[in-house]
Structures are given as structure tokens and as C-alpha cells.
């Protein structure tokens, strides 16, 4: 029997799913399942509800969830989390930020986050990889174009110094970046399945209509996004390899 202890991953919970989607659990559960992590391999800290982030020692890596909050609000819990992430990134910890987590990591490292001039992005979108992605530990070998699920109104307008932009979409020029060699942000949601995405389109339906978009059409065009989903398992595998050195 294999009794090798696996260092856990810290999941930083920054918000809750839309009400209609909470029957599927919270964001950390979605992420853990998509990443192939057992319950014993993840430690969840809900920073939005006042949870205190622990010492960094002993974790294989960190995943930061999405949120309906806005990084630009500079909430106390968000700024404290940004300070922690900045120190962790400079200390060489393996980090992955998703949606809000992507924006928070960019902000923590000196980038600029603001409302997307192109408006809300929602549904299954086309991700186009930039050439540096072909040599990236998480993105290498993926198709140059693949589908991913997205729902956000803010974006990384200016990535941090020392960041390499890896991907874009029609509405967002910074859908993924790597900072130095151990920290990543992705604006899309690799943990989303199609039912999560359709639920969010329905939840944001009135906002989409006000922006002149048709939620029925967006929901109909939602497709599976297996390449995007691979990124979570790739991050876990890569982070474990680095942690074992």
C-alpha cells in the first residue's frame, strides 16, 4: 500500500457561487474535483469571510478562486490576501489565480485591474495562445485555439512587470499570464463544467440584455472545454514536482 504523504494545496476562497449554483457546492469543491485532488489534499481558507491565511510552509501550491467581488474595491480582506500572495510569489511558491484570483494576483504584483472596456465577457469563449505559451509548463502542447468558460466584467488592463502574457480572447487581451516561472493567472474558469457556465449566463441574463447581448444565444453556444480544464491538473502536477525538489 502506498502511504506516501502528499503535501496539500491551499485553496484561497474569495467568494461564493451565484445562488442558483450553490447546490453544486462552493468554488473550492469545483476546483478540487477538476484538479483531481482528494479532500485530504486541500486546505480551504475563506478570506472573504475573515479567514486568516496560514504560514506558507508545507503547501505544494496555492489556488485562488473566483468571486463576484471587485479587486478595485480594495476591500480589507482582498488587500490582505494580495499582500500574502505578493510575498508568496516573491518567495517562489507555486500559485494559480482564477478569474478574481487572476486579477488579484496581477494587482498584488503591480499590474492594473479595471473594468473591461469591451464590457462583460460571458459564455464559452475562444482562447488564442501567444507563442510563449508553447514553452509554458501549463500551456505547452495545447491547441493554439481552444474553448474556455468565462464570466467577468473586470480585467487585467496591464500585467505586472516580469509577466508574460500567454493568451487572449476577442474581448480580453490578458486571459492568462505567467509571472516569473511559478505564478500563473487565468481569467477563464478551468473548473467550470457546462452546467456551471449555463447557470452563470442565466444568472447574468438581465445584465447581458442591457449590454445588447442575448443570453439565450450565449447559453446555446456553451460547449465543453476539456483543454481549459486540463490546466488545473497540469498545475497540480507541476507544483508537486517543484515542491519535491
Amino acid at each position: 500500500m502506498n502511504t506516501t504523504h502528499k503535501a496539500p494545496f491551499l485553496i484561497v476562497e474569495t467568494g461564493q457561487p451565484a445562488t442558483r449554483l450553490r447546490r453544486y457546492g462552493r468554488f473550492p469543491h469545483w476546483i478540487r474535483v477538476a484538479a483531481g485532488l482528494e479532500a485530504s489534499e486541500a486546505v480551504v481558507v475563506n478570506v472573504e469571510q475573515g479567514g486568516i491565511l496560514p504560514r506558507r510552509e508545507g503547501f505544494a501550491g496555492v489556488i485562488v478562486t473566483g468571486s463576484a467581488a471587485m479587486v478595485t474595491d480594495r476591500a480589507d480582506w482582498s488587500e490582505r490576501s494580495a499582500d500574502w500572495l505578493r510575498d508568496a510569489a516573491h518567495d517562489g511558491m507555486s500559485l494559480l489565480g482564477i478569474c478574481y484570483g487572476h486579477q488579484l494576483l496581477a494587482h498584488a504584483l503591480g499590474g492594473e485591474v479595471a473594468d473591461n472596456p469591451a464590457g462583460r465577457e460571458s459564455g464559452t469563449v475562444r482562447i488564442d495562445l501567444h507563442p510563449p505559451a508553447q514553452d509554458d509548463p501549463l500551456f505547452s502542447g495545447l491547441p493554439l485555439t481552444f474553448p474556455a468558460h468565462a464570466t467577468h466584467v473586470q480585467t487585467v488592463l496591464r500585467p505586472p512587470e516580469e509577466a508574460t502574457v500567454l493568451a487572449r480572447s476577442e474581448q480580453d487581451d490578458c486571459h492568462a499570464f505567467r509571472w516569473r516561472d511559478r505564478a500563473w493567472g487565468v481569467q477563464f474558469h478551468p473548473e467550470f463544467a457546462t452546467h456551471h457556465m449555463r447557470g452563470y449566463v442565466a444568472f447574468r441574463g438581465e445584465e447581458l440584455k442591457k449590454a445588447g447581448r442575448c443570453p439565450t444565444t450565449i447559453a446555446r453556444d456553451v460547449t465543453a472545454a476539456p483543454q481549459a480544464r486540463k490546466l488545473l491538473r497540469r498545475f497540480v502536477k507541476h507544483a508537486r514536482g517543484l515542491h519535491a525538489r
Side-chain angles (χ1 to χ4, degrees):
M1 183 174 67
N2 183 4
T3 59
T4 302
H5 172 72
K6 291 184 178 180
F9 281 77
L10 175 64
I11 301 180
V12 181
E13 187 175 12
T14 64
Q16 299 297 311
T19 304
R20 66 175 65 209
L21 291 166
R22 292 178 189 175
R23 65 183 182 273
Y24 301 121
R26 291 155 40 196
F27 289 137
H29 174 71
W30 303 3
I31 289 169
R32 185 176 61 75
V33 170
L37 292 170
E38 299 293 335
S40 61
E41 297 176 301
V43 173
V44 178
V45 176
N46 188 336
V47 292
E48 186 195 30
Q49 297 299 316
I52 303 301
L53 289 168
R55 293 173 59 88
R56 297 189 296 274
E57 292 78 14
F59 291 103
V62 181
I63 303 173
V64 189
T65 76
S67 177
M70 300 292 175
V71 169
T72 53
D73 287 344
R74 305 287 192 266
D76 287 345
W77 64 264
S78 184
E79 292 295 281
R80 285 195 300 271
S81 300
D83 290 343
W84 191 95
L85 289 169
R86 181 185 308 111
D87 290 344
H90 281 281
D91 199 38
M93 200 168 191
S94 296
L95 306 173
L96 175 65
I98 297 171
C99 196
Y100 187 90
H102 159 82
Q103 297 166 14
L104 186 63
L105 183 59
H107 165 63
L109 294 171
E112 180 185 357
V113 175
D115 287 354
N116 191 337
R120 176 173 292 280
E121 187 174 47
S122 182
T124 305
V125 302
R126 190 184 78 181
I127 301 298
D128 295 316
L129 295 182
H130 294 308
Q134 295 308 300
D135 298 318
D136 181 80
L138 304 193
F139 286 86
S140 64
L142 292 182
L144 296 180
T145 298
F146 59 86
H149 302 311
T151 174
H152 65 111
V153 72
Q154 293 206 322
T155 186
V156 176
L157 282 185
R158 178 177 54 79
E161 290 185 19
E162 298 187 75
T164 301
V165 178
L166 301 170
R168 67 178 304 279
S169 71
E170 184 178 355
Q171 284 184 247
D172 195 316
D173 288 335
C174 184
H175 240 286
F177 72 86
R178 184 187 69 248
W179 185 82
R180 294 186 180 174
D181 62 352
R182 295 195 182 190
W184 287 265
V186 292
Q187 182 60 68
F188 56 88
H189 284 271
E191 81 278 20
F192 274 22
T194 53
H195 58 277
H196 298 132
M197 190 67 259
R198 290 193 181 99
Y200 263 97
V201 172
F203 177 67
R204 298 293 186 187
E206 290 304 313
E207 295 170 57
L208 291 166
K209 288 177 183 176
K210 289 177 182 176
R213 304 188 65 199
C214 176
T216 302
T217 300
I218 295 171
R220 186 184 63 222
D221 291 341
V222 168
T223 64
Q227 293 90 355
R229 198 170 177 88
K230 283 181 181 179
L231 289 171
L232 280 165
R233 290 179 183 252
R234 285 186 170 200
F235 173 74
V236 165
K237 182 178 180 180
H238 184 66
R240 283 210 188 283
L242 292 173
H243 188 257
R245 290 179 183 175

